[in-house]
Amino acid sequence: MPSDIIRYFRQETLPHIWCPGCGNGIVLRDFAVALEKLNYPRKEVAIVSGIGCSSRAAGYLDFDTVHTTHGRALPFATGIKMANPELKVFVIMGDGDASSIGGNHLIHACRRNIDLTAIIFNNYIYGMTGGQFSPLTPRNKRATTAPYGMIEQSFDICRLAEAAGATYVGRATTYHNQLLTRLIVEGSKNPGFSLVEAVTHCPTSYGRRNDLKTPTDMVRWQKENAVWIEKIRDGSASLKEEQFAIGVLHRHNAPEFTAEYLEVIKRARK
Amino acid sequence: MQGNEACAQGAVDAGVRFFAGYPITPSTEIAEWMARRMPTLGGKFIQMEDEIASIAAIIGASLTGAKSMTATSGPGFSLMQENIGYACMTEVPCLIVNVQRGGPSTGRPTAPAQGDVMQARWGTHGDHPVIALCPWSVQETYSLTVKAVNLAEKFRTPVILLMDEIIAHLREDVKMPDPRKLILEERPRPEGGRESYRPFGGSAGQIPPMADFGMGYQCNFTGLVHNEVGNPSNDPGVTDRLIRRLTGKVESHRKKIIHWEETLMEDAEIAIFSYGCSARSAASALKAARSKGMKVGMIRPTTLWPFPEEAVEAAASREIPILVPEMNLGQMALEVQRVAAGRSKVHLLSRVDGELFTPAEILSALKGGF
Ligand SMILES: Cc1ncc(C[n+]2csc(CCOP(=O)(O)OP(=O)(O)O)c2C)c(N)n1
């Protein structure tokens, strides 16, 4: 069936603000395809985002959408979901948005296991402000605020989420875009906090400074460095420098926060 | 009943069904009360990871149509400022209670102060509308909390209740009205179809209807300058219209919002202008002064923002001196001075030592004739 995702867009807001060659459009498309597959009634979906290039994605989609403040998308989403647990809530964040200014909110959303689906557009850099390093910028890479190379260690945001209590964690790339759609669909079906990291390419602010001159070079880098988690698990592959795992990296069952609170209401009313 | 309890009770009686907060003295009892009582009403309570998250959560909840609030004190109020501006910009109703304590910084957590008056007005960046109310008793804490929730709904804007440590922890008898007899406001909601709906439309001062998430209107909320539909815009005309309409919502309705109480102003030769816990000492001083034959009157605003300029007129138009006792180094006094515009001599009486004014020191300031 040919995908008819254009109906999910606020067409009067297009064209988008992203640079030529940016990967965000691919992530947005994969998200829209996931929404199509999930096929929720449109009014039951809420999409929340932070601030950054990637967070502009929310405004292009024709659902109830909130473009919040930098780093704070998750607590806004927490209020929405808690006040109306019927809503299916998706949260779009950049890597800096989610892991730096919003890092505390991220670990607590994971810990509560509140039923939100977070999609983190990881371009390894602060795109909107022009290429400063983020907590996900790998060591030795260059950024405008790390002109001699990044000396800090970077987060693995998937492992961070797992350790903090997220019940579904996956990673895909703009090259592995069917996987990305699958992860968003499964993440949304998971009754708890789901985190999907979407590795995306930013030629303007990251690639250019780090020896990946074109968008094609960047997507090729993704193809060559992404290793399926199944292969790591069965021992047929291991992670070399720069490489990272993709696929469903973690899942477990745990009580979901808004469901637990409905139990609190029952107990309090007895 | 305690002031903090009266605030919590007033809020739920006004229809608040969502509370998010983070513990901080001297406001914590409000959160604790809400944790116990909210679920019994089918409402929601959540302790967030900090105050930034707390205000974000109440804005989120309000987007779904729930009347929402948080309560905090100085340090937490500082953390909330960015998202207070967000609520102004996106026109999301919510109530923020700030139980003032000594500042700056951690200051004196258990001591009263009135140092956040200007922060309530200008704490978040950019020109924006603000409504801030300030009670002087436990009874009034109840009624002003109800009013605050109503104003937030009516004008689609965050409202700040500026309490202080004294009022929060004071215990007084309160006459509870029958909550079913309270007049409650609901935000205007859209009625027509989606095509004609303008969630951020209208001319200066108009309050556009607000759809709840889940109603099927598919609205976009953004802190960026946005057009009538909610889409981001860099257009100078759109920008100008939006900022003026937002501030105009409060300014053009200020007469309906502002409120003050006058005591013995008819024949007064000196006026006291005071609010919150300081006004309690001022009221005692006024009594003592009158018993000594001094013609003292008092003006007590319960609305601090928008500033009730008309209240100052009662004294300034007669060119009588005005004494402003406040527990800061002069915040409201500046406003009084501005409105008096040289017609009345305005004298500031300050305390920033965490102690209440004594009626005696106010009386001696009155006697001194300043
Ligand atoms: C409180 C605050 N601090 C800083 C900024 C400036 N700012 C806007 S976007 C951004 C970083 C964006 O990077 P990221 O989250 O990785 O998203 P991207 O733009 O790369 O998609 C920053 C620092 C802001 N808007 N608000």
Side-chain angles (χ1 to χ4, degrees):
Chain A
M1 190 182 76
S3 163
D4 179 24
I5 56 169
I6 191 71
R7 68 199 156 105
Y8 289 146
F9 286 80
R10 293 188 172 115
Q11 290 176 49
E12 77 277 12
T13 63
L14 301 173
H16 57 65
I17 62 158
W18 299 319
C19 305
C22 173
N24 287 352
I26 300 174
V27 181
L28 179 55
R29 175 197 170 276
D30 298 342
F31 176 32
V33 174
L35 287 167
E36 184 174 53
K37 286 188 194 292
L38 287 163
N39 198 28
Y40 298 132
R42 195 175 294 209
K43 63 183 193 177
E44 287 177 16
V45 175
I47 302 169
V48 186
S49 67
I51 294 289
C53 295
S54 43
S55 286
R56 293 298 283 268
Y60 299 132
L61 292 167
D62 196 14
F63 292 84
D64 281 326
T65 52
V66 214
H67 178 232
T68 68
T69 46
H70 192 29
R72 318 302 173 193
L74 283 168
F76 276 82
T78 297
I80 292 171
K81 181 69 187 179
M82 203 184 172
N84 185 354
E86 303 291 305
L87 296 174
K88 314 284 182 198
V89 184
F90 295 87
V91 188
I92 292 170
M93 293 171 282
D95 48 303
D97 199 51
S99 74
S100 188
I101 191 164
N104 194 37
H105 307 310
L106 177 69
I107 58 174
H108 290 284
C110 292
R111 178 181 62 79
R112 287 187 191 105
N113 192 35
I114 182 167
D115 187 11
L116 305 171
T117 304
I119 305 163
I120 297 173
F121 289 49
N122 177 16
N123 57 7
Y124 299 107
I125 204 83
Y126 283 7
M128 177 131 277
T129 42
Q132 302 75 30
F133 68 79
S134 94
L136 267 64
T137 306
R139 254 180 89 79
N140 300 323
K141 297 295 177 191
R142 281 183 299 274
T144 59
T145 47
Y148 304 105
M150 174 73 167
I151 57 170
E152 299 178 17
Q153 286 188 68
S154 61
F155 275 136
D156 178 329
I157 205 158
C158 290
R159 287 175 58 198
L160 182 71
E162 176 186 341
T167 45
Y168 182 95
V169 180
R171 183 189 287 123
T173 76
T174 40
Y175 176 77
H176 304 87
N177 75 312
Q178 292 183 7
L179 172 64
L180 182 52
T181 292
R182 197 188 102 205
L183 296 180
I184 297 171
V185 169
E186 288 182 9
S188 178
K189 287 183 177 163
N190 170 52
F193 190 81
S194 305
L195 182 140
V196 178
E197 177 184 341
V199 173
T200 173
H201 49 283
C202 174
T204 307
S205 286
Y206 186 71
R208 265 190 320 151
R209 292 196 181 90
N210 288 291
D211 308 318
L212 295 167
K213 293 259 176 304
T214 66
T216 325
D217 292 336
M218 297 193 78
V219 176
R220 188 177 299 113
W221 178 88
Q222 292 175 7
K223 180 186 172 194
E224 286 166 1
N225 287 287
V227 181
W228 287 85
I229 185 72
E230 288 79 5
K231 289 193 176 167
I232 299 170
R233 287 197 181 125
D234 71 15
S236 62
S238 61
L239 291 179
K240 301 186 188 67
E241 214 189 320
E242 288 222 344
Q243 289 190 330
F244 54 89
I246 55 168
V248 181
L249 305 183
H250 172 79
R251 66 191 314 174
H252 77 275
N253 292 327
E256 192 275 325
F257 178 72
T258 56
E260 289 288 294
Y261 197 84
L262 293 179
E263 292 302 314
V264 169
I265 291 179
K266 278 192 203 149
R267 251 180 277 154
R269 287 187 141 173
K270 253 189 207 139
Chain B
M1 176 180 264
Q2 191 199 52
N4 277 341
E5 284 168 10
C7 173
Q9 183 72 55
V12 299
D13 287 353
V16 168
R17 288 295 178 275
F18 189 94
F19 182 99
Y22 188 82
I24 185 167
T25 305
S27 76
T28 307
E29 293 86 359
I30 300 176
E32 290 173 338
W33 193 99
M34 289 292 184
R36 275 194 315 275
R37 295 290 295 281
M38 249 334 164
T40 67
L41 301 165
K44 311 283 168 72
F45 165 89
I46 184 169
Q47 179 172 317
M48 293 300 288
E49 52 272 19
D50 59 31
E51 289 87 347
I52 302 176
S54 302
I55 183 154
I58 69 166
I59 297 170
S62 185
L63 287 170
T64 72
K67 292 184 181 176
S68 308
M69 74 175 286
T70 185
T72 187
S73 185
F77 192 55
S78 293
L79 286 180
M80 290 181 184
Q81 293 302 328
E82 185 191 13
N83 281 338
I84 292 176
Y86 183 87
C88 293
M89 186 63 146
T90 51
E91 302 178 67
V92 178
C94 56
L95 168 64
I96 300 117
V97 176
N98 174 11
V99 182
Q100 295 170 92
R101 66 189 224 183
S105 190
T106 310
R108 292 269 307 276
T110 56
Q114 298 180 309
D116 304 349
V117 171
M118 280 296 169
Q119 190 188 18
R121 180 64 194 89
W122 296 114
T124 196
H125 56 282
D127 285 294
H128 58 277
V130 162
I131 300 176
L133 311 181
C134 178
W136 81 326
S137 68
V138 177
Q139 180 77 51
E140 196 175 70
T141 298
Y142 177 90
S143 59
L144 285 190
T145 305
V146 173
K147 181 175 177 181
V149 175
N150 278 343
L151 290 172
E153 291 289 316
K154 190 166 180 175
F155 294 106
R156 269 191 74 177
T157 198
V159 174
I160 295 162
L161 185 74
L162 271 184
M163 294 172 62
D164 56 62
E165 190 276 337
I166 294 291
I167 305 302
H169 287 156
L170 188 69
R171 286 185 184 277
E172 284 181 319
D173 284 340
V174 176
K175 261 213 209 97
M176 282 294 168
D178 180 349
R180 284 164 308 183
K181 294 205 175 120
L182 291 172
I183 296 168
L184 299 185
E185 299 278 350
E186 287 281 334
R187 64 194 69 177
R189 288 186 168 85
E191 278 161 4
R194 204 190 155 205
E195 298 321 310
S196 57
Y197 177 42
R198 297 286 175 272
F200 306 97
S203 50
Q206 268 190 338
I207 296 105
M210 179 173 172
D212 304 343
F213 273 25
M215 278 175 77
Y217 280 89
Q218 284 121 256
C219 297
N220 185 48
F221 287 79
T222 176
L224 288 167
V225 165
H226 45 272
N227 62 18
E228 299 194 328
V229 179
N231 296 329
S233 170
N234 287 327
D235 182 87
V238 169
T239 308
D240 186 81
R241 267 199 304 283
L242 176 65
I243 304 305
R244 289 182 196 279
R245 183 176 62 75
L246 292 181
T247 50
K249 282 198 303 186
V250 169
E251 276 314 311
S252 64
H253 296 103
R254 61 191 309 283
K255 285 221 160 63
K256 274 186 245 157
I257 299 170
I258 58 172
H259 179 262
W260 70 94
E261 211 178 72
E262 288 177 15
T263 312
L264 302 176
M265 279 301 292
E266 299 76 18
D267 64 341
E269 288 163 5
I270 306 179
I272 309 173
F273 188 98
S274 194
Y275 55 93
C277 65
S278 298
R280 297 175 74 92
S281 312
S284 302
L286 180 146
K287 248 194 210 153
R290 281 278 171 174
S291 72
K292 291 187 169 64
M294 292 173 70
K295 290 194 171 161
V296 176
M298 181 156 97
I299 301 164
R300 185 178 68 82
T302 59
T303 317
L304 301 190
W305 306 113
F307 184 68
E309 298 176 359
E310 293 82 344
V312 178
E313 280 306 314
S317 62
R318 281 160 39 211
E319 302 186 5
I320 60 172
I322 307 172
L323 177 71
V324 186
E326 51 182 343
M327 294 181 69
N328 57 50
L329 290 177
Q331 298 194 14
M332 273 285 106
L334 289 173
E335 286 296 295
V336 177
Q337 230 163 37
R338 175 178 66 78
V339 177
R343 291 172 294 167
S344 287
K345 197 167 145 198
V346 177
H347 183 78
L348 165 69
L349 186 65
S350 272
R351 261 199 112 133
V352 284
D353 59 353
E355 298 292 319
L356 265 182
F357 285 106
T358 61
E361 72 184 303
I362 296 177
L363 186 62
S364 85
L366 290 168
K367 278 187 188 152
F370 42 89

